Amino acid sequence: MVAQFTDKHVGKRVVDQNGVEVGTVNDIRNGDLHVEVGPDADPETLSELQWDGTVNQQVHHLRDRYVSDITDATVRLNV
């Protein structure tokens, strides 16, 4: 999904394809989503998003290719 992300997306919950929360949209930079990872995020999902590297970050860039749907309250992923 290719979308134009704006400040209206900040604060939305980010959920995996099963509806399990991964985190929250923290910021929009240059039209890209940046997600603050939640404390209960599934390590497998983080690995699929390539957010599990040696650098322990709280906020990660969410690539468009992982977004499957956006509603008023959530950004749903395809992983």
Side-chain angles (χ1 to χ4, degrees):
M1 169 180 210
V2 176
Q4 291 292 339
F5 301 112
T6 65
D7 288 341
K8 73 178 184 175
H9 295 99
V10 173
K12 289 187 180 194
R13 293 176 48 236
V14 177
V15 298
D16 67 15
Q17 63 185 352
N18 297 317
V20 177
E21 188 167 335
V22 174
T24 306
V25 177
N26 175 273
D27 195 11
I28 306 297
R29 298 182 205 152
N30 300 319
D32 293 330
L33 293 175
H34 289 265
V35 176
E36 182 172 349
V37 176
D40 299 327
D42 179 41
E44 242 179 77
T45 300
L46 298 180
S47 179
E48 287 187 53
L49 294 168
Q50 300 175 2
W51 291 355
D52 64 341
T54 56
V55 177
N56 186 13
Q57 294 177 223
Q58 281 301 103
V59 177
H60 294 271
H61 173 240
L62 177 60
R63 292 178 175 85
D64 289 354
R65 69 176 179 237
Y66 295 119
V67 177
S68 67
D69 187 40
I70 300 174
T71 68
D72 289 339
T74 63
V75 175
R76 185 171 295 273
L77 305 177
N78 57 19
V79 293

